[in-house]
Every structure is written in structure tokens, then in C-alpha cells.
Amino acid sequence: MRNEVYGHFHPDERQFVDKAWEWVSHAGEYHEMKLTEFLDPRQGYILQTLVNRHPDVEVRWEGGSEDAERKRALVAPDYRDLTDEDMELKVLSISSGEQKFLTLEHGDYMGAILGLGIKRGKIGDIHVLEDGCHVVVASDIADYLSMNLTGVHRVNVSTEILPVSGLRTMAAKLETVELTVASLRLDGIAADVTRLSRSKILVPIKAGRVRVNWKVEEDPSCGLKDGDMVSIQGFGRFKVLEVGSLTKKGRYRVRVGKFV
């Protein structure tokens, strides 16, 4: 079965495909339930694809909010009612009385949490609010984070554990950038967004450190379109908001949003 679907995914994704198929097959054949860690949208797509291939398996998704990007999955036999199953989510509320606290960004919170030895799979969406930050986390690490997260980027903070019903969300902040590019190639647009030369942006692309819509993309000539999400390890991520008309010199007008 796995060999049949390998061709649909990047070779780097095979390890996750194997793991996901094990969850699915054990649910179908051995009636086991599996609550996963937080999955990104690409991993979610892979798992849902495999679930759809098995007639006796279902999956429930939960990330704390309707528009959550990162979600946990509960894989189970299709006869199980998953409505009231505990998805083991908590909200870590972070606050501070320091003025500099209001300047902290998504990456600051992420770095502080991962710096405590927490795996990325234990962390869901991070919502930077006007007066604090709400982080969706796996319930088994909530107490540890609450006791040990005392500072974020040299700012003293305090924490509180809330139920998922107490989650406050915030749409991601985007810094809009207007570009004119010769083509819609990945390397060209990414070079302009990151302010790297074309030759330097090829390094992370060819090293497999660039993802387009959460899928590894090693082809510099890959064309981008409206809505595409691009992440570059070490340089953050951006979204193609709009591909506009051509200039008089035949260049594309492109509007992108850099996540801040």
C-alpha cells in the first residue's frame, strides 16, 4: 500500500507517510486509536489522504480554533464516536507588565518555548495579541511550560493555563511588499523578498530547506501563483497575495505578505 502512494509525495516525506499509514492501518485492523502531535497542513493532507484510502477508518481534527493551521488528529476505527473524545489541548496565556513585551513577535515566543527543550510537535498555533500571547499546546506539557517559561527575548513574563474555550485568536500580521519581477519563478520572487542574490537563494532551495504550501520544493523554476505560501528555513515565510498586471517592460507586478 505504501509503495502505491510513495509516488505522490516527496522522498523526504516517506518517513511521515510510513508513520501515518501505521496509525491508519492499526486503527482499521487492530481497532486502535491514535492521538497525534500537532501536524502542519502538509502532514494533515498526507494523513487525510491515507485515511480516505481506508474504508474502516475516520479522523477528527482539532487545533483550538476553526481556522487553526496546526492541528492534532485523532485516528480511529470508523465505528467510534469521536465527538466527545479529549483532544488534550490547553492554552498557555503569556503576559507581562514590561513595555517591551508589546513588541514581541511570533518568532520570539516560538524561540523561547523551543529553547526549553519542547518539540515542535507539542506546539500548535501561536496567537500574538495586542496585550499578550495565547499558545495552543499539548496538555501534557502545559504545566511544565507554565512553571519554566519566565522570559521571552529578555522580557520577564508570567503565564496561566486556560482551557481551549478561553483561546483568543489573532490573524497573522503581514508586512506587504510590492515587487516587479521578470518571471514568477520561486527563486526570483524569494530572492527579492529575502533580499538575497539569485545565486544565494539557490542554496536553501537545492538543500531542501524551502517549502511551497508546506511541501518541500527543490526546483528553483517552480512557478508561484496567488495564495501560495512559501517558507524558507532561517528566513521566515511569505504569502503571494496577488499577481498583478505586466509593466510596460513586461515584468510582473507581484504583491506578497511577509509574516512578522
Side-chain angles (χ1 to χ4, degrees):
M1 158 59 201
R2 284 174 294 188
N3 291 333
E4 295 177 17
V5 299
Y6 275 157
H8 298 283
F9 305 112
H10 191 277
D12 287 351
E13 297 173 325
R14 287 187 177 182
Q15 184 176 359
F16 181 77
V17 171
D18 288 344
K19 186 187 301 183
W21 180 245
E22 182 178 290
W23 300 334
V24 172
S25 60
H26 282 204
E29 275 111 63
Y30 305 118
H31 310 284
E32 296 179 0
M33 293 177 59
K34 171 65 179 181
L35 178 61
T36 74
E37 296 188 337
F38 288 94
L39 306 180
D40 65 34
R42 178 61 183 176
Q43 293 171 322
Y45 169 78
I46 293 173
L47 177 55
Q48 186 66 64
T49 298
L50 297 179
V51 168
N52 292 344
R53 283 174 166 262
H54 201 298
D56 303 318
V57 177
E58 64 176 340
V59 61
R60 176 186 168 191
W61 298 93
E62 183 59 65
S65 64
E66 185 175 343
D67 298 323
E69 179 176 291
R70 296 176 59 81
K71 299 178 180 179
R72 300 190 82 170
L74 182 58
V75 185
D78 64 350
Y79 59 79
R80 292 292 298 261
D81 182 0
L82 305 182
T83 306
D84 296 322
E85 291 289 340
D86 184 5
M87 297 296 285
E88 299 183 18
L89 304 181
K90 294 292 183 182
V91 174
L92 183 73
S93 176
I94 307 173
S95 59
S96 173
E98 296 189 28
Q99 188 64 31
K100 288 192 299 182
F101 177 71
L102 301 179
T103 66
L104 295 178
E105 299 179 347
H106 183 282
D108 298 320
Y109 293 104
M110 176 68 73
I113 293 172
L114 297 183
L116 294 175
I118 300 299
K119 294 181 179 179
R120 186 67 179 93
K122 294 290 187 179
I123 307 298
D125 287 358
I126 297 176
H127 299 276
V128 181
L129 310 169
E130 293 181 355
D131 58 349
C133 179
H134 277 190
V135 186
V136 183
V137 302
S139 60
D140 60 347
I141 64 160
D143 288 334
Y144 175 83
L145 285 176
S146 184
M147 289 187 292
N148 291 280
L149 186 65
T150 58
V152 177
H153 199 58
R154 297 187 295 277
V155 176
N156 294 321
V157 302
S158 57
T159 60
E160 180 184 3
I161 301 172
L162 304 176
V164 173
S165 59
L167 175 66
R168 292 161 56 202
T169 63
M170 178 68 75
K173 295 182 180 179
L174 295 177
E175 175 188 331
T176 303
V177 180
E178 306 280 350
L179 307 172
T180 57
V181 293
S183 75
L184 300 178
R185 287 171 52 116
L186 169 63
D187 56 353
I189 294 178
D192 281 359
V193 171
T194 58
R195 297 182 179 178
L196 295 175
S197 67
R198 185 69 69 90
S199 60
K200 287 185 177 179
I201 199 64
L202 290 178
V203 175
I205 294 176
K206 293 185 176 180
R209 303 203 307 269
V210 174
R211 293 176 180 265
V212 176
N213 298 325
W214 296 275
K215 180 181 179 181
V216 173
E217 182 53 76
E218 298 174 344
D219 181 4
S221 67
C222 168
L224 299 182
K225 61 184 183 303
D226 289 0
D228 280 350
M229 188 82 72
V230 180
S231 62
I232 307 171
Q233 187 176 335
F235 294 92
R237 57 181 187 158
F238 65 89
K239 183 176 184 179
V240 180
L241 301 177
E242 181 182 16
V243 176
S245 58
L246 293 174
T247 67
K248 292 181 179 179
K249 294 185 177 181
R251 295 173 65 85
Y252 291 90
R253 293 186 177 91
V254 179
R255 185 164 59 90
V256 304
K258 295 175 62 176
F259 287 79
V260 297

